[in-house]
Amino acid sequence: CVANCCTMPVEVRLPDLLRLKLVDPFEAEHEAPKQIAKRLDRAGLIEHFNFTNSIFTLARRASGDCLFLDAASRRCTVYEQRPDTCRKHPQVGPRPGYCPYGARAKGS
């Protein structure tokens, strides 16, 4: 695996943000998700917030890589705390176990 899935948008929920330590328990309990989203957006940690479903989309680097992906090693820097979306990939979806992201072409 060369972490090509780590270039896809990662949707997370509040428990994921707590696990990643982007939100502390006090803030999660006392702040509205919309306020949390505003703070995370200003900090450059999310790129979108779905108000209806309270789903946050993590920000990515200009390269498209996840903020938590080490560019040199292509390894997750928060593997033990990674979001549920990442934990379940590619076990969920129409073809469980199939990852459509093959090795990147050299020079891409």
Side-chain angles (χ1 to χ4, degrees), residues 28-66:
E29 188 174 329
H30 295 94
E31 292 287 331
K34 182 178 178 178
Q35 298 300 56
I36 293 171
K38 285 181 182 181
R39 181 184 66 78
L40 294 175
D41 185 45
R42 281 193 304 269
L45 297 170
I46 65 166
E47 61 186 40
H48 181 72
F49 177 64
N50 179 311
F51 294 94
T52 305
N53 299 313
S54 292
I55 295 175
F56 304 79
T57 303
L58 293 178
R60 294 179 284 169
R61 294 190 182 102
S63 65
D65 286 350
C66 173

Side-chain angles (χ1 to χ4, degrees), residues 2 6 10-11 14 18 30 33-34 42 45-46 50 58 62 64 66 69 79-80 91 94-96 99 102 108:
V2 290
C6 298
V10 177
E11 293 181 339
L14 197 52
L18 284 161
H30 295 94
K34 182 178 178 178
R42 281 193 304 269
L45 297 170
I46 65 166
N50 179 311
L58 293 178
C66 173
L69 183 67
Y79 188 79
E80 293 301 319
Q91 288 82 22
R95 295 173 66 184
C99 181
S108 294

Side-chain angles (χ1 to χ4, degrees), residues 74-87:
R74 305 293 296 163
R75 298 283 183 207
C76 180
T77 61
V78 294
Y79 188 79
E80 293 301 319
Q81 295 81 28
R82 72 194 183 282
D84 285 338
T85 299
C86 301
R87 291 171 187 267

Side-chain angles (χ1 to χ4, degrees), residues 104-108:
R104 275 190 179 163
K106 297 281 185 199
S108 294

